[in-house]
């Protein structure tokens, strides 16, 4: 399951105790890294770095990194070679966004946390739920994967 691969990235920091912040993967990173492993996308380390600024709502608490990480996965799996209209990728992205917002009641990082997190809880459980939703979306459209 995708959630198992994503969990590796949400729990990676736990083995470093007092230096956890140095080994933290953001929500966006966990989604893309875990998906890269699970779907054998083949993204290289330098390419994976592109998602770093999208964590924590693009470092501003705005558009959620779980959402943008999932969108990056959709791009890797469903985008066609250019030039193209990428109609299927757009459909998958819209569906992912609808499913995501339906589950988390918002697309904004700060509001998702406000609505969905219990006090003193971190985002790991939300990230795993997002991974479950993303896996369902990819499964629904698996016959259209272009990679």
């Amino acid at each position: 399951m995708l959630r198992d691969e994503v969990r590796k990235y949400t729990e990676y920091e736990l083995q470093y105790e007092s230096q956890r912040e140095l080994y933290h993967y953001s929500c966006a990173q966990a989604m893309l890294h875990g998906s890269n492993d699970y779907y054998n996308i083949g993204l290289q380390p330098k390419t994976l770095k592109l998602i770093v600024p999208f964590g924590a709502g693009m470092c501003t608490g705005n558009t959620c990194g779980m959402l943008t990480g999932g969108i990056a996965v959709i791009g890797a799996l469903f985008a066609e070679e250019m030039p193209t209209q990428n109609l299927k990728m757009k459909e998958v992205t819209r569906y992912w966004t609808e499913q995501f917002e339906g589950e988390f009641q918002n697309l904004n990082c700060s509001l998702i946390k406000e609505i969905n997190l219990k006090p003193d809880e971190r985002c790991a459980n939300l990230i795993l739920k997002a991974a479950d939703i993303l896996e369902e979306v990819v499964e629904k459209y698996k016959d259209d994967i272009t990679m």
Side-chain angles (χ1 to χ4, degrees):
M1 295 181 69
L2 175 58
R3 109 181 334 254
D4 296 329
E5 293 301 321
V6 170
R7 184 189 320 272
K8 292 176 187 175
Y9 293 96
T10 63
E11 293 180 350
Y12 178 72
E13 67 192 57
L14 299 178
Q15 60 190 302
Y16 294 98
E17 298 179 18
S18 66
Q19 295 184 321
R20 285 172 59 173
E21 69 279 355
L22 298 176
Y23 297 93
H24 175 74
Y25 282 90
S26 73
C27 48
Q29 287 175 283
M31 293 292 288
L32 184 58
H33 283 254
S35 295
N36 188 50
D37 296 344
Y38 185 70
Y39 294 112
N40 298 310
I41 297 171
L43 299 175
Q44 300 300 309
K46 188 155 183 96
T47 304
L48 288 165
K49 287 174 63 176
L50 294 171
I51 201 67
V52 173
F54 291 90
M58 297 185 285
C59 304
T60 65
N62 288 318
T63 305
C64 179
M66 297 182 300
L67 176 67
T68 56
I71 290 171
V73 172
I74 290 167
L77 293 174
F78 295 96
E80 300 172 10
E81 295 299 319
M82 300 304 273
T84 180
Q85 293 181 357
N86 278 300
L87 296 176
K88 186 54 71 173
M89 184 216 56
K90 290 176 184 177
E91 179 183 334
V92 177
T93 301
R94 282 191 294 273
Y95 185 71
W96 158 243
T97 302
E98 291 166 2
Q99 298 305 302
F100 184 94
E101 186 171 23
E103 176 63 33
F104 297 110
Q105 303 169 13
N106 214 291
L107 303 177
N108 179 286
C109 173
S110 297
L111 293 175
I112 288 171
K113 288 178 182 179
E114 185 179 308
I115 294 167
N116 295 281
L117 282 183
K118 296 178 179 111
D120 300 322
E121 188 177 84
R122 300 183 72 157
C123 291
N125 289 332
L126 300 181
I127 296 168
L128 296 177
K129 181 60 181 169
D132 290 340
I133 298 166
L134 181 60
E135 185 173 14
E136 291 171 9
V137 169
V138 171
E139 180 63 25
K140 175 180 171 88
Y141 290 97
K142 69 181 177 188
D143 292 339
D144 298 306
I145 290 176
T146 61
M147 59 169 258

